[in-house]
């Protein structure tokens, strides 16, 4: 206990970063292996899926119903949804899949969840950047109006992904029914993410209700950064930040409260 109490903050931070880095690398090797393209699947998988969806919308001439670039519309909504959905789904089995690692003194339950969520965020973020660059190079979309605002929106949704992931992790660990149902429930939440519609197309009364759903604010904010004043977007950034804080606090509290049960249940 004396050695722990005397550890400086910077030393503890360095240890924590090293632990998370090692867990992320282990997760990459475990999930993707060392054969073929290996860890590159981390970027290729979400990138190819988004690319397929975008091209499908383009070739079906969905852009004929609007003068808006339909590819830009898809890639500013769909990848963000896949990020928080995949992150929460991967967080579910963090302990059961890595139970043996908890015998290491410095590894805690939160580290396992953080590593899995971080890996999904890294993959989705890299895929998003690559897709935008490729489509700009091919002339299919234009350069974003405000990249910094897009980065802020993406960062807030990464924060949202972590908080949601912690909550889903605890609920799935305690309730087997929820563990099996979350995959279906998360699919049902996709239409409510704002990825496939503009909030501006609805009446003011409906807009107020829609903006109570946190991911819609993130999607609208991201699109506002890309399209700029050429479109009307609606987002409440302060509300999204407040929801992120609440989700993270609730998730951490749930993990702390149920830590003993989770450890006992996974032995």
């Amino acid at each position: 206990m004396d050695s722990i109490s005397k550890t400086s903050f910077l030393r503890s931070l360095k240890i924590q970063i090293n632990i998370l880095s090692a867990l992320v690398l282990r997760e990459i090797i475990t999930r993707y292996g060392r054969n073929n393209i290996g860890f590159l699947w981390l970027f290729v998988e979400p990138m190819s899926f988004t690319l397929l969806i975008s091209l499908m919308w383009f070739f079906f001439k969905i852009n004929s119903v609007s003068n808006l670039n339909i590819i830009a519309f898809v890639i500013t909504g769909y990848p963000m949804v896949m990020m928080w959905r995949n992150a929460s789904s991967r967080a579910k089995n963090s302990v059961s899949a890595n139970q043996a690692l908890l015998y290491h003194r410095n590894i805690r339950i939160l580290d396992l969840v953080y590593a899995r969520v971080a890996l999904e965020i890294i993959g989705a973020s890299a895929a998003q950047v690559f897709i935008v660059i490729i489509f700009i190079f091919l002339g299919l979309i234009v350069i974003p109006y405000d990249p910094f605002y897009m980065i802020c929106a993406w960062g807030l949704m990464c924060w949202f992904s972590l908080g949601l992931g912690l909550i889903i992790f605890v609920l799935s660990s305690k309730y087997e029914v929820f563990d099996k149902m979350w995959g279906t429930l998360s699919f049902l939440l996709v239409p409510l993410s704002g990825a496939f519609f503009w909030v501006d197309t609805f009446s003011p009364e409906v807009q107020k209700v829609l903006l109570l759903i946190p991911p819609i604010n993130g999607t609208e904010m991201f699109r506002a950064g890309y399209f700029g004043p050429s479109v009307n977007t609606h987002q409440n950034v302060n509300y999204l930040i407040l929801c992120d804080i609440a989700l993270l606090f609730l998730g951490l509290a749930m993990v702390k409260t149920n830590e003993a049960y989770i450890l006992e249940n996974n032995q």
Side-chain angles (χ1 to χ4, degrees), residues 5-23:
S5 61
K6 293 180 181 178
T7 304
S8 66
F9 172 76
L10 291 179
R11 174 61 178 168
S12 299
L13 181 61
K14 183 178 180 181
I15 293 173
Q16 189 66 42
I17 293 174
N18 289 337
I19 289 173
L20 291 178
S21 300
L23 288 175

Side-chain angles (χ1 to χ4, degrees), residues 196-265:
F196 305 113
F197 61 84
W198 291 101
V199 174
D200 192 62
T201 58
F202 296 92
S203 65
E205 292 76 17
V206 176
Q207 289 176 11
K208 292 179 181 179
V209 176
L210 289 175
L211 291 179
L212 294 176
I213 305 174
I216 291 182
N217 291 274
T219 303
E220 289 281 303
M221 185 180 175
F222 193 70
R223 284 176 171 154
Y226 180 83
F227 292 102
S230 63
V231 298
N232 294 322
T233 57
H234 304 266
Q235 63 275 339
N236 188 334
V237 179
N238 292 333
Y239 174 74
L240 179 57
I241 294 174
L242 181 63
C243 289
D244 287 348
I245 294 174
L247 280 176
L248 184 59
F249 179 80
L250 179 60
L252 291 172
M254 289 176 66
V255 172
K256 182 66 176 178
T257 304
N258 297 279
E259 184 175 10
Y261 173 85
I262 294 172
L263 289 173
E264 181 179 355
N265 197 47

Side-chain angles (χ1 to χ4, degrees), residues 63-137:
N63 57 324
S64 61
V65 301
S66 172
N67 57 1
L68 193 69
N69 188 319
I70 196 64
I71 292 182
F73 177 77
V74 173
I75 67 174
T76 53
Y78 193 74
M80 184 177 289
V81 178
M82 295 304 297
M83 176 180 68
W84 60 259
R85 181 185 177 276
N86 290 344
S88 60
S89 297
R90 286 290 183 180
K92 286 195 311 174
N93 302 314
S94 298
V95 172
S96 59
N98 299 283
Q99 181 181 348
L101 296 177
L102 293 174
Y103 289 99
H104 294 276
R105 183 180 61 181
N106 291 324
I107 297 179
R108 298 292 183 265
I109 288 178
L110 281 175
D111 298 323
L112 302 178
V113 181
Y114 289 157
R116 284 204 158 192
V117 172
L119 185 58
E120 293 301 324
I121 290 175
I122 292 170
S125 301
Q128 178 73 80
V129 172
F130 289 156
I131 289 173
V132 170
I133 292 176
I134 290 172
F135 282 177
I136 290 176
F137 179 77

